[in-house]
Amino acid sequence: MKKYLNLFIFLLFTSCIRDGNTSNNVNIENNTNHIIKLIPYKNGVVDSLKIKAIPNYSSIQIERNNQRGKTEVPVVFWDYFKNLDSIVIIWDNTYSVTHMLSDTFFSAKKYIQFDEIRNIGLNSSYTNTSSNESKIGITWHVNYTFTEQDYLDAK
């Protein structure tokens, strides 16, 4: 009986291996003296639930997710960018520029193509930093930053 008890205890402790966790935080920063409004479009219609306003010199979190396992790179764009065609960026309710979120749609107005480095929907346009890294977990901070040059390009 003691042999079975020892076997049970051994199996109990070896099967309780803690699973890792990754936390991803996606932020949009406004490092300008202008108010920015993000107007997302889905199938050519404004997705009013995802409209965001960013005051000057501030940031907003557009996405936060957690997943099992520790990742080497952040995994983002699950929620906010899901099924969107484009995002119109409006500066001070005056100037605007469209960021295309696919390579199959184009606009007659001022726009940034999907593969351009300043496109808000392009993963490589974001800076990635990690924090709280441990043996089994990590927190990723993924940031897109609007600059005065973005404002000048929209004018």
Side-chain angles (χ1 to χ4, degrees):
M1 187 65 163
K2 188 175 182 180
K3 187 184 338 178
Y4 291 119
L5 181 61
N6 288 339
L7 178 62
F8 175 73
I9 292 172
F10 173 76
L11 291 175
L12 179 67
F13 284 113
T14 58
S15 65
C16 293
I17 298 173
R18 190 170 175 198
D19 195 16
N21 182 57
T22 298
S23 177
N24 299 290
N25 303 303
V26 182
N27 298 302
I28 306 292
E29 297 179 15
N30 179 1
N31 284 348
T32 73
N33 196 30
H34 309 279
I35 298 169
I36 298 173
K37 195 171 193 179
L38 282 65
I39 311 287
Y41 283 81
K42 180 178 180 178
N43 298 322
V45 178
V46 173
D47 188 344
S48 60
L49 297 176
K50 294 183 177 181
I51 293 174
K52 304 286 185 192
I54 312 171
N56 55 328
Y57 299 106
S58 63
S59 68
I60 61 167
Q61 185 175 69
I62 62 165
E63 195 169 303
R64 180 187 168 99
N65 62 61
N66 293 301
Q67 62 192 41
R68 294 179 65 166
K70 181 180 175 183
T71 63
E72 296 296 319
V73 294
V75 179
V76 294
F77 305 137
W78 287 2
D79 185 42
Y80 187 78
F81 291 94
K82 187 176 183 179
N83 299 322
L84 295 180
D85 306 325
S86 60
I87 297 178
V88 176
I89 310 300
I90 301 175
W91 298 83
D92 294 329
N93 289 322
T94 305
Y95 304 110
S96 69
V97 64
T98 303
H99 290 236
M100 300 303 176
L101 300 182
S102 75
D103 57 0
T104 59
F105 181 76
F106 296 97
S107 171
K109 297 181 179 181
K110 193 178 288 190
Y111 69 93
I112 297 175
Q113 295 184 74
F114 175 71
D115 57 356
E116 289 184 37
I117 193 64
R118 290 303 302 151
N119 190 306
I120 196 170
L122 189 62
N123 199 359
S124 60
S125 298
Y126 289 73
T127 58
N128 304 322
T129 57
S130 63
S131 67
N132 302 330
E133 185 169 4
S134 68
K135 187 175 179 181
I136 60 167
I138 192 167
T139 299
W140 287 102
H141 303 280
V142 182
N143 296 312
Y144 181 91
T145 304
F146 283 105
T147 65
E148 284 293 331
Q149 186 59 51
D150 294 314
Y151 170 76
L152 295 174
D153 291 343
K155 280 180 83 172

